[in-house]
């Protein structure tokens, strides 16, 4: 029995190359969960086959800028002339339905979310060491040596932001990491600050 | 990979009659855990078959009182002329070995532990409602109507102490409650305040 029926906003972040996407995928492949992945909003035109509300919410630049000015994004960024953001109202709708909304975002975006969503759960995925991160980037084989050097420098700046998160999860093994995140979600639902109101209400009504 | 190898002190408490003992038993019957049950110290003489260090640590009254004056108990109480307490040093030894030490104690004792062990995890077990607690006491059949009335009054005073705990777990189903406690233990090991030092050390050494 869950005392609070509302879903949690789960922010999964961590240094570039740590394997956030793989951990998130393993998480969604687990059984018995109410996780959904947050759908981003963008001003970029849909590609063939992309469905509005599924792949992205497609909006005009005017609409996007209006939403920014109204504070309607959990986080947003501009990337090669297009805007991308996480729409606050859509996330709230899903949370009210009891869904656990997962955001897998870069460290910069996560710190923006922190400002807007105080009760979200912030999870920082880290490699089992700097060398492990370096080895993973080499093994992935998608980056030039120059790019790998840049990523490692960026990771160095991001590592020290760990203290801004609620949890630090080591991605030594992707299933272990996903398991631990699932435990965090279960545990967070029982945290006193999330349950005390429902609990007091239950006592009164009984 | 756990960033912190130290065990956690888990304090399981809740109103009288809520089924703390049953939940704790279900917890220990789960697989793959490092849980141990804290052994109490007492001045009461051993009963036939009781083993020192297993059932209790048996000590003299002088030794017990000396330990109280030295602040060497996480909590202690006197009960019909004998003293009972949780020895701090024994608990610390086990935590250092990576054991998760479980204390299943009354609300009063738990609040004493809160003073001494700031980093312990405090879990408040609650019934799915007042009526459910009443029904359980009746069904248990060990208490007189007068005693049940007293227990319900005590529970009323204890219910409102829920906010002093880190987690509120509803004992609607004993295995659900045990599962949730196990998730809490896993999650707590990843909490930033418990992992940040080990994580920073790992980065430096790498």
């Amino acid at each position: 029995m869950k005392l609070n029926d509302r879903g949690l906003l789960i922010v999964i972040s961590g240094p570039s190359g740590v394997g956030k996407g793989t951990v998130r995928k393993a998480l969604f492949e687990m059984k018995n969960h109410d996780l959904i992945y947050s759908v981003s909003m963008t001003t970029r035109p849909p590609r063939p086959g992309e469905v509005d509300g599924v792949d992205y919410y497609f909006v005009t630049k005017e609409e996007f800028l209006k939403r920014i000015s109204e504070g309607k994004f959990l986080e947003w960024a501009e990337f090669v002339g297009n805007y991308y953001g996480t729409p606050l109202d859509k996330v709230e709708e899903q949370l009210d339905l009891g869904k656990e909304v997962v955001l897998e975002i870069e460290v910069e975006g996560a710190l923006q979310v922190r400002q807007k969503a105080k009760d979200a759960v912030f999870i920082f995925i880290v490699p089992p060491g700097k060398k492990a991160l370096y080895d993973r980037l080499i093994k992935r084989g998608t980056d030039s040596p120059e790019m790998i050097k840049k990523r490692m420098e960026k990771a160095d700046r991001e590592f020290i932001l760990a203290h801004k998160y609620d949890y630090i999860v080591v991605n030594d093994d992707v299933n272990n990491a996903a398991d631990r995140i699932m435990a965090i979600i279960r545990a967070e639902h029982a945290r006193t600050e999330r349950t005390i109101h429902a609990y007091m209400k239950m006592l009164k009504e009984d």
Side-chain angles (χ1 to χ4, degrees), chain A residues 26-165:
Chain A
L27 191 65
F28 276 74
E29 280 166 4
M30 290 176 79
K31 282 173 191 161
N32 303 321
H33 66 69
D34 266 325
L35 303 173
I36 61 160
Y37 190 54
S38 157
V39 177
S40 294
M41 194 167 274
T42 185
T43 60
R44 124 165 130 53
R47 291 178 191 145
E50 281 186 341
V51 177
D52 184 53
V54 176
D55 299 290
Y56 283 97
Y57 296 105
F58 296 102
V59 295
T60 63
K61 193 172 166 186
E62 288 64 41
E63 204 172 326
F64 202 102
L65 294 175
K66 184 163 173 279
R67 280 182 154 263
I68 292 176
S69 70
E70 290 168 350
K72 281 187 176 167
F73 285 108
L74 272 171
E75 53 89 35
W76 64 271
E78 202 190 339
F79 184 67
V80 291
N82 289 311
Y83 289 85
Y84 295 82
T86 304
L88 184 56
D89 48 351
K90 303 288 181 186
V91 167
E92 294 283 344
E93 270 171 31
Q94 297 294 332
L95 296 176
D96 286 342
L97 291 171
K99 300 287 179 190
E100 326 277 12
V101 181
V102 176
L103 287 187
E104 177 220 321
I105 49 179
E106 298 299 316
V107 173
E108 223 167 286
L111 299 182
Q112 275 189 58
V113 177
R114 194 50 140 172
Q115 308 293 322
K116 290 262 182 174
K118 304 272 181 226
D119 60 348
V121 180
F122 289 81
I123 301 173
F124 198 62
I125 311 282
V126 298
K130 270 190 213 179
K131 200 181 165 302
L133 179 61
Y134 183 78
D135 291 346
R136 185 172 292 165
L137 290 173
I138 294 281
K139 204 177 153 194
R140 198 162 72 168
T142 52
D143 296 324
S144 65
E146 179 60 21
M147 182 61 99
I148 288 178
K149 191 166 168 278
K150 273 194 183 160
R151 281 196 191 276
M152 288 304 293
E153 283 164 7
K154 192 174 172 221
D156 269 339
R157 293 190 302 274
E158 291 175 337
F159 277 135
I160 55 169
L161 297 170
H163 69 278
K164 296 199 178 256
Y165 288 74

Side-chain angles (χ1 to χ4, degrees), chain A residues 10-14 121-125 165-169 181 184-185:
Chain A
I10 315 291
V11 180
I12 297 179
S13 189
V121 180
F122 289 81
I123 301 173
F124 198 62
I125 311 282
Y165 288 74
D166 301 312
Y167 296 93
I168 300 175
V169 170
I181 293 173
I184 289 168
I185 296 171

